[in-house]
Amino acid sequence: MSEKNILAYFKSPEDAEGASRKLQSLRVVDISIDRFSRYGGGFTSQASPANGLISSLGTAAAGYPDAGVMAAADPSASGMSHGGSGGPTGRDVLLTLVVDEGSFHQALSIIEEAGGMI
């Protein structure tokens, strides 16, 4: 039997985890849950562009050197900015699923019932 891929976006990791538990009853080949951010790195609250701490942005995303550059170049890092541009809001949790083709439509229903957007 062939496989189908599904990318579903959720508002919280808990919603995605709930859907993941329900999806385990199907013939799931692979499943993962990831949160993505505006710059691809993990910033701490002390070193976010909105706080204007430009000197700490280069090291704020350890292991993600490009993320620090992107954050420092953001208009919200400037002292002249109003501090907007808060980054992704809403559906920033991605559930990636590989399922047998026979369970595909049932998986879509489970995801939609759990509040996911496909």
Side-chain angles (χ1 to χ4, degrees):
M1 207 176 237
S2 64
E3 300 169 347
K4 291 271 194 168
N5 304 315
I6 301 173
L7 298 176
Y9 300 90
F10 288 87
K11 292 184 178 180
S12 73
E14 294 80 18
D15 291 344
E17 287 289 337
S20 174
R21 284 190 294 274
K22 291 177 184 175
L23 290 165
Q24 292 298 331
S25 65
L26 303 178
R27 288 175 279 181
V28 173
V29 176
D30 192 20
I31 191 166
S32 69
I33 298 172
D34 299 295
R35 177 168 250 158
F36 57 92
S37 69
R38 181 180 205 162
Y39 305 108
F43 288 96
T44 63
S45 60
Q46 295 84 17
S48 68
N51 290 336
L53 301 175
I54 296 174
S55 62
S56 65
L57 288 174
T59 59
Y64 301 94
D66 296 338
V69 173
M70 293 299 294
D74 191 272
S76 65
S78 167
M80 302 299 285
S81 172
H82 65 68
S85 306
T89 57
R91 300 182 187 274
D92 62 343
V93 178
L94 176 65
L95 181 138
T96 306
L97 175 69
V98 180
V99 67
D100 284 340
E101 189 174 20
S103 303
F104 179 72
H105 293 291
Q106 189 176 1
L108 292 177
S109 296
I110 290 172
I111 289 168
E112 289 175 350
E113 288 173 9
M117 183 179 76
I118 301 168

